[in-house]
Amino acid sequence: MLLKRRRARAGARARYAAERTVDRADGRLPVSEGGGLLRKAFPEHWSFLLGEIALYSFVVLLLTGVWLTLFFKPSMTEVVYDGSYEPLLGLSMSEAYRSTVDISFEIRGGLLIRQSHHWAALVFLSAIGVHLLRVFFTGAFRRPREVNWLIGVTLFLLALVEGFAGYSLPDDLLSGTGLRIAQGIMLSIPVVGTYISMFVFGGEYPGEDVIPRLYSLHILLVPGLLLALLTLHLILVFYLKHTQWAGRGRTNRNAVGKPMFPQFVTNSTGLFFMVFGVLTLLAAVAQINPIWAYGPYRPDMVSFGSQPDWYVGFLEGSLRLMPPFETAVAGHTVMWNVLVPAVVLPGALFAVLYAYPFFERWVTGDHEEHHLCDRPRDKPVRTGLGVAAICFYAVLLLAGGNDILSYVFDVPLNLLTWVFRISLVLLPPVSFMATRRVCLALRERERERLAEGEETGELRQTLAGGYVESHEPLDAEERYVLRSRREPEPLAPAAADGDAPHVGRLRATLSEWYYGDRVDVEEPGPERESSSGELER
């Protein structure tokens, strides 16, 4: 009895202390207003985890990067190696390379942390790229999320810069070869290319300042921008609410899923530890970037079979596929064989990524808000364009290793180069047409299933002596999803307000191309009307 009274008094004191703490905090911070935020709904689907994987890879990058800064020396001062790795004894090298070798062999756990950092960078960029593809194919970039799409593309661009800067810091023969290519790209820019190269390298190549400048870029400027944009990106996700897949009870006016606390926070924390564990396991068992095998950088040498990380592999491929072509203009030589594939092409690719949400809105005339994800098959033209872009990138990525492929498969290098050149021109349009037809065929099949039902595999004999397969109706959830899609009509040829006649005709033509070939199904009846639900669950 006495023990129960003590427990009751202790519980009362704890409740009183908790109430006072919350009251005091609420007087200084928006604690009570945050209660609704903790119950915010997050829809569930595996594809929604891609952004979280990118976020947690970035967290691992920050943690391992801070540790590496304690031991790395961003200096190009020449030193003679006298460490424990015998093949390098007596070689002249920069302090940057020497400190990286020391991290790998002299500092306990250094190689594990360094390889964890590198693997995290690859996973970070991969997750951002796949996350952007998910957003593109599901139409999650449409109103009101255009700004978030622009932020995501900028994050991907900054991550490319950050990855290349970190890749170049060890000053080994492989990264030095990449810097040499980067200097050639700078020089290809007409008129100002020489000045840009002199500024970046601090004089004639290789200069003395490029590693310290890349180091400042890598640990201060770009990470700061990434942190700021990631924070803004997450704020907009909270403010605009998460997209969700169509289903009964899910509409453009609600969000159905797990509350942020405790379910979503618990699952997300578990995912973080999974990402951290997988990256650590990769660092422990899968060697990456063995700089001691490449040796220190020397301007008069190029590493054999040098391949950059995958995220800049397309740039290497574009340089290898471009035919030699130069033009002399007013005493200046314009190197089209470098300028076009290494400056114009990447600029055009990112310009298309930035502009696409506004292009699609202009073509389709769709200014409504969208909180439901599109299935890729429901937008055959958009899906076809995405697949064509992936094929274009894949050809460039493979072409970046044409020398390795030629050696491994014993194929003449010139023949392989021409195969890639032809594929770069033919494969994207062929893949676009094939993807669009597949999407339309899948939609046609769904319309048949709605009309006839699902095949059961059971046969019955007719009065005429033939055999037919019996069907059963689809379940209510699947019927709702299939019936909830209806494409709008193409825009009329008449010019829209503010459009010139020829612009209006172009817009109508593009709209007909976008919506012309389609397979519509019947509109959902009362089944859809009864599922409007509350504004948020």
Side-chain angles (χ1 to χ4, degrees), residues 129 132-134 136-138 141 349 352-353 356 375-396 423-440 442 513-514:
L132 283 174
L133 289 177
R134 197 277 301 176
F136 176 83
F137 283 119
T138 61
F141 56 81
L349 290 177
V352 169
L353 288 175
Y356 185 82
R375 297 184 308 162
R377 68 184 64 180
D378 294 328
K379 301 290 183 179
V381 172
R382 181 203 296 157
T383 304
L385 291 174
V387 173
I390 292 173
C391 291
F392 185 83
Y393 178 86
V395 172
L396 291 180
S423 300
L424 190 66
V425 176
L426 295 182
L427 190 59
V430 171
S431 62
F432 169 79
M433 292 184 289
T435 302
R436 187 172 62 171
R437 296 312 306 171
V438 168
C439 291
L440 293 173
L442 290 173
W513 168 70
Y514 200 91

Side-chain angles (χ1 to χ4, degrees), residues 171-188:
D171 199 30
D172 60 291
L173 189 57
L174 182 61
S175 65
T177 302
L179 280 176
R180 185 61 166 172
I181 295 174
Q183 193 240 1
I185 295 172
M186 298 174 195
L187 292 177
S188 71

Side-chain angles (χ1 to χ4, degrees), residues 41-60:
F42 280 83
E44 294 182 87
H45 194 266
W46 66 266
S47 63
F48 299 155
L49 300 179
L50 297 170
E52 293 183 49
I53 293 175
L55 174 63
Y56 297 142
S57 300
F58 184 66
V59 172
V60 175

Side-chain angles (χ1 to χ4, degrees), residues 203-254:
E204 292 290 340
Y205 181 86
E208 296 290 335
D209 299 332
V210 63
I211 296 298
R213 289 175 178 176
L214 284 176
Y215 184 70
S216 301
L217 193 73
H218 183 69
I219 70 168
L220 291 177
L221 179 60
V222 179
L225 293 174
L226 286 172
L227 274 174
L229 289 177
L230 274 172
T231 303
L232 180 58
H233 182 75
L234 294 175
I235 289 173
L236 289 178
V237 169
F238 272 80
Y239 177 72
L240 300 172
K241 74 173 180 283
H242 207 291
T243 55
Q244 59 187 345
W245 292 98
R248 302 184 69 181
R250 302 172 184 174
T251 70
N252 268 318
R253 296 188 298 140
N254 68 0

Side-chain angles (χ1 to χ4, degrees), residues 11 25 34 93 117 143 156 299 366 371 376 402 440 498 520 523 530 536:
M93 60 188 63
H117 190 73
R143 184 183 177 188
F156 187 62
D366 184 4
H371 301 286
N402 61 352
L440 293 173
D520 287 329
E523 281 279 7
S530 64
E536 187 165 319

Side-chain angles (χ1 to χ4, degrees), residues 152-362:
V153 175
T154 306
L155 282 170
F156 187 62
L157 179 60
L158 288 174
L160 291 176
V161 176
E162 177 77 346
F164 180 76
Y167 170 84
S168 304
L169 287 179
D171 199 30
D172 60 291
L173 189 57
L174 182 61
S175 65
T177 302
L179 280 176
R180 185 61 166 172
I181 295 174
Q183 193 240 1
I185 295 172
M186 298 174 195
L187 292 177
S188 71
I189 302 176
V191 182
V192 299
T194 304
Y195 301 100
I196 295 176
S197 174
M198 295 284 285
F199 171 76
V200 171
F201 290 91
E204 292 290 340
Y205 181 86
E208 296 290 335
D209 299 332
V210 63
I211 296 298
R213 289 175 178 176
L214 284 176
Y215 184 70
S216 301
L217 193 73
H218 183 69
I219 70 168
L220 291 177
L221 179 60
V222 179
L225 293 174
L226 286 172
L227 274 174
L229 289 177
L230 274 172
T231 303
L232 180 58
H233 182 75
L234 294 175
I235 289 173
L236 289 178
V237 169
F238 272 80
Y239 177 72
L240 300 172
K241 74 173 180 283
H242 207 291
T243 55
Q244 59 187 345
W245 292 98
R248 302 184 69 181
R250 302 172 184 174
T251 70
N252 268 318
R253 296 188 298 140
N254 68 0
V256 180
K258 292 183 177 180
M260 179 178 175
F261 185 85
Q263 286 91 339
F264 177 77
V265 171
T266 303
N267 294 343
S268 190
T269 303
L271 179 62
F272 166 72
F273 285 112
M274 289 178 63
V275 171
F276 190 88
V278 169
L279 291 174
T280 304
L281 180 64
L282 283 173
V285 302
Q287 179 177 270
I288 189 170
N289 197 24
I291 58 143
W292 55 88
Y294 307 139
Y297 178 64
R298 287 177 50 183
D300 60 334
M301 296 181 64
V302 175
S303 59
F304 170 75
S306 58
Q307 301 295 318
D309 285 336
W310 73 267
Y311 47 87
V312 289
F314 79 99
L315 195 62
E316 178 83 7
S318 63
L319 285 167
R320 297 189 183 196
L321 293 186
M322 182 69 181
F325 183 46
E326 299 178 354
T327 303
V329 179
H332 295 278
T333 300
V334 181
M335 301 183 297
W336 300 107
N337 56 327
V338 179
L339 180 65
V340 171
V343 179
V344 177
L345 178 62
L349 290 177
F350 276 96
V352 169
L353 288 175
Y354 279 113
Y356 185 82
F358 310 100
F359 168 78
E360 182 175 304
R361 185 176 64 186
W362 178 74

